[in-house]
């Protein structure tokens, strides 16, 4: 019984070894391709591009161009004429058109240095089948326009849109301030002191209408407000350095500056234990409030002084201040009649559910 089972065990082990080797063998057979240098679908197909143009592999650009011009004149569909005594049925205008396309393909392949280099590499290394396909179609499908130019044009367009949008917001802010009595009266006093309004009303040779005088006075008031009022925040005067294009160009500088600043911060306040200055305290307060630099700069000076007096850069003090602000906001909402009406509406009716059923 033992002798009968022994061969079966040996056969089973050999079968298991074949099962282990079977996937690699099948994969090799599946990926196996003919090692021919000329492949259908690549460049000139099964024809050698050098033979199509009738030149050698050492031919220069001038020789290739000259051979192409001669063959193009010969096989051009509009100029092709069968040679006298040529009774070959294959020499037809249709075959001439195919020959012309083949000549053009050969010339397009050999006139470019990079494409010719890839083609010569394919002739010398026919076994790298998939690599040739990759190089061929990567060049054929590559965008004709440089991606860097597209990115540069896009960034410039966004920067221009940013600049005009910010300038429009700044003009709206100035126009609004010109209607506020506080700023308008001060601007008119300055204009009178400098004699600008008197000059606007002078007629001289060119008589001005009342509307023109009014528009000119309005522009004088706006210009004085622009020079005297420092608008901060989202309506501040646009700066060239804030545009996207300049931000990208200055990004390495800003990154290096931030690294240097952060290292100084760690060394001065974490290692040496120095006390925070006013600038550092305001920075910590701004980070605790989660406000951007432009938002924090738009706050009034007395608000920043209050922050410093209450020592809000200390975490415990800031938590107390935050809780006080929340309580104060709740009291304001509780006394607000609109908020009361809203709560009453939510309690009695609430947001009704949308249905398609008629009551």
């Amino acid at each position: 019984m033992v002798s009968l089972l022994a061969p079966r065990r040996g056969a089973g082990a050999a079968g298991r070894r074949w099962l282990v080797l079977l996937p690699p063998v099948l994969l090799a057979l599946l990926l196996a391709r003919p090692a021919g240098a000329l492949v259908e679908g690549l460049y000139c197909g099964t024809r050698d591009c050098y033979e199509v143009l009738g030149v050698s592999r050492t031919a220069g650009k001038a020789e290739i161009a000259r051979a192409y011009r001669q063959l193009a004149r010969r096989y051009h569909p509009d100029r092709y004429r069968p040679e006298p005594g040529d009774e070959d049925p294959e020499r037809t205008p249709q075959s001439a058109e195919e020959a012309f396309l083949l000549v053009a393909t050969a010339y397009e392949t050999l006139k470019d240095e990079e494409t010719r280099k890839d083609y010569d590499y394919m002739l010398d290394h026919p076994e790298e089948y998939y690599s040739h396909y990759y190089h061929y179609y990567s060049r054929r499908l590559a965008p004709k326009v440089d991606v860097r130019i597209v990115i540069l044009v896009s960034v410039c367009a966004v920067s221009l849109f940013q600049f005009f949008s910010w300038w429009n917001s700044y003009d709206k802010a100035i126009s609004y301030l010109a209607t506020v009595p506080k700023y308008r009266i001060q601007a008119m006093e300055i204009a009178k002191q400098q004699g600008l309004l008197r000059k606007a009303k002078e007629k001289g040779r060119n008589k001005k209408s009342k509307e023109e005088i009014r528009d000119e006075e309005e522009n004088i008031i706006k210009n004085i407000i622009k020079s005297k009022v420092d608008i901060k925040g989202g309506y501040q005067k646009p700066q060239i350095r804030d545009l996207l294009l300049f931000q990208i160009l200055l990004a390495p500088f800003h990154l290096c500056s931030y690294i240097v600043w952060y290292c100084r911060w760690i060394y001065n306040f974490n290692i040496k234990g120095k006390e925070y200055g006013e600038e550092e305290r305001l920075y910590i307060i701004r980070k605790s409030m989660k406000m951007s630099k432009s938002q924090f700069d738009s706050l009034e000076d007395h608000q920043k002084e209050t922050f410093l007096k209450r020592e809000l850069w200390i975490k415990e003090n800031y938590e107390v201040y935050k809780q006080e602000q929340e309580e104060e906001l709740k009291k304001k909402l509780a006394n607000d009649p609109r908020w009361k009406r809203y709560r009453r509406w939510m309690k009695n009716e609430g947001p009704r559910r949308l249905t398609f059923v008629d009551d």
Side-chain angles (χ1 to χ4, degrees):
M1 183 175 181
V2 174
S3 61
L4 291 174
L5 292 175
R8 293 181 181 178
R9 291 175 182 174
R16 286 193 295 271
R17 286 196 295 271
W18 273 107
L19 288 175
V20 173
L21 295 176
L22 185 59
V25 173
L26 291 177
L27 183 62
L29 292 175
L30 183 63
L31 297 179
R33 295 285 182 178
L38 303 177
V39 182
E40 188 66 38
L42 299 183
Y43 304 106
C44 299
T46 56
R47 297 283 305 276
D48 190 335
C49 292
Y50 291 101
E51 293 181 359
V52 170
L53 295 179
V55 296
S56 64
R57 290 187 60 176
T58 58
K61 288 185 177 182
E63 185 179 352
I64 292 174
R66 185 166 53 254
Y68 165 72
R69 286 193 296 269
Q70 292 176 355
L71 293 174
R73 284 194 297 268
R74 178 179 177 184
Y75 291 107
H76 196 280
D78 296 337
R79 303 178 59 182
Y80 176 73
R81 297 290 184 274
E83 296 180 1
D86 190 358
E87 299 178 355
D88 190 352
E90 295 183 358
R91 299 290 294 272
T92 61
Q94 184 178 0
S95 63
E97 182 178 355
E98 295 175 357
F100 178 78
L101 293 177
L102 183 62
V103 169
T105 303
Y107 177 67
E108 290 294 328
T109 301
L110 301 181
K111 75 174 184 177
D112 183 69
E113 291 292 339
E114 298 296 329
T115 308
R116 183 177 181 181
K117 187 183 299 183
D118 290 342
Y119 183 72
D120 290 341
Y121 186 83
M122 186 186 76
L123 295 178
D124 296 334
H125 302 82
E127 70 279 357
E128 299 181 14
Y129 182 83
Y130 295 101
S131 176
H132 303 324
Y133 260 100
Y134 169 75
H135 288 293
Y136 176 75
Y137 284 103
S138 63
R139 290 193 182 278
R140 295 251 347 232
L141 301 178
K144 302 301 181 182
V145 181
D146 194 346
V147 179
R148 294 171 294 183
I149 298 177
V150 175
I151 294 174
L152 180 61
V153 172
S154 302
V155 170
C156 292
V158 172
S159 301
L160 287 174
F161 176 77
Q162 279 182 328
F163 182 78
F164 287 110
S165 176
W166 290 347
W167 193 264
N168 186 34
S169 300
Y170 177 70
D171 284 339
K172 287 182 178 180
I174 295 297
S175 300
Y176 170 75
L177 292 177
T179 61
V180 177
K182 173 184 175 182
Y183 299 103
R184 187 176 186 85
I185 293 172
Q186 293 180 4
M188 291 184 68
E189 291 294 331
I190 295 173
K192 289 179 181 178
Q193 292 175 4
Q194 297 179 358
L196 299 176
L197 295 179
R198 187 177 63 255
K199 293 180 181 179
K201 294 180 179 179
E202 290 178 355
K203 295 183 179 180
R205 295 182 180 178
N206 299 324
K207 294 183 178 181
K208 300 179 182 178
S209 63
K210 293 182 178 180
E211 293 182 357
E212 292 177 347
I213 294 174
R214 193 182 304 112
D215 293 340
E216 192 170 347
E217 290 178 352
E218 193 69 21
N219 291 331
I220 291 172
I221 293 173
K222 289 181 180 180
N223 290 332
I224 293 175
I225 293 176
K226 287 180 182 179
S227 61
K228 298 298 180 181
V229 179
D230 185 16
I231 302 176
K232 296 180 181 179
Y235 293 91
Q236 64 183 1
K237 188 175 182 179
Q239 302 291 334
I240 297 296
R241 63 175 180 271
D242 294 332
L243 299 179
L244 177 62
L245 177 61
F246 289 89
Q247 288 294 317
I248 293 174
L249 295 177
L250 297 175
F253 172 75
H254 291 315
L255 180 61
C256 295
S257 301
Y258 175 77
I259 293 174
V260 172
W261 173 86
Y262 187 75
C263 293
R264 287 181 179 176
W265 183 283
I266 296 296
Y267 176 75
N268 291 329
F269 304 114
N270 292 5
I271 298 176
K272 298 186 69 175
K274 288 184 178 181
E275 292 187 2
Y276 295 125
E278 181 177 341
E279 184 179 353
E280 289 78 15
R281 292 172 181 176
L282 291 175
Y283 172 78
I284 296 174
I285 294 171
R286 179 170 68 84
K287 288 298 182 182
S288 300
M289 293 182 173
K290 297 179 180 179
M291 298 175 66
S292 64
K293 191 175 184 304
S294 59
Q295 291 175 333
F296 193 78
D297 291 341
S298 62
L299 297 177
E300 299 292 339
D301 293 336
H302 66 85
Q303 291 179 293
K304 297 178 182 179
E305 291 176 1
T306 303
F307 297 158
L308 294 174
K309 287 179 181 179
R310 299 196 58 174
E311 299 181 351
L312 296 186
W313 66 88
I314 302 174
K315 186 176 181 180
E316 293 77 10
N317 296 344
Y318 176 74
E319 293 296 333
V320 174
Y321 172 80
K322 182 180 179 181
Q323 189 173 1
E324 291 177 358
Q325 294 295 315
E326 292 176 354
E327 293 295 333
E328 186 177 351
L329 179 60
K330 289 180 181 179
K331 291 179 181 179
K332 288 182 179 180
L333 292 176
N335 297 324
D336 189 358
R338 291 177 298 178
W339 178 249
K340 288 181 180 180
R341 288 196 300 268
Y342 174 73
R343 287 189 302 173
R344 193 182 306 115
W345 176 77
M346 288 292 294
K347 181 179 180 181
N348 298 332
E349 301 181 10
R352 296 183 177 181
R353 182 168 57 89
L354 294 175
T355 62
F356 295 98
V357 181
D358 296 333
D359 294 337

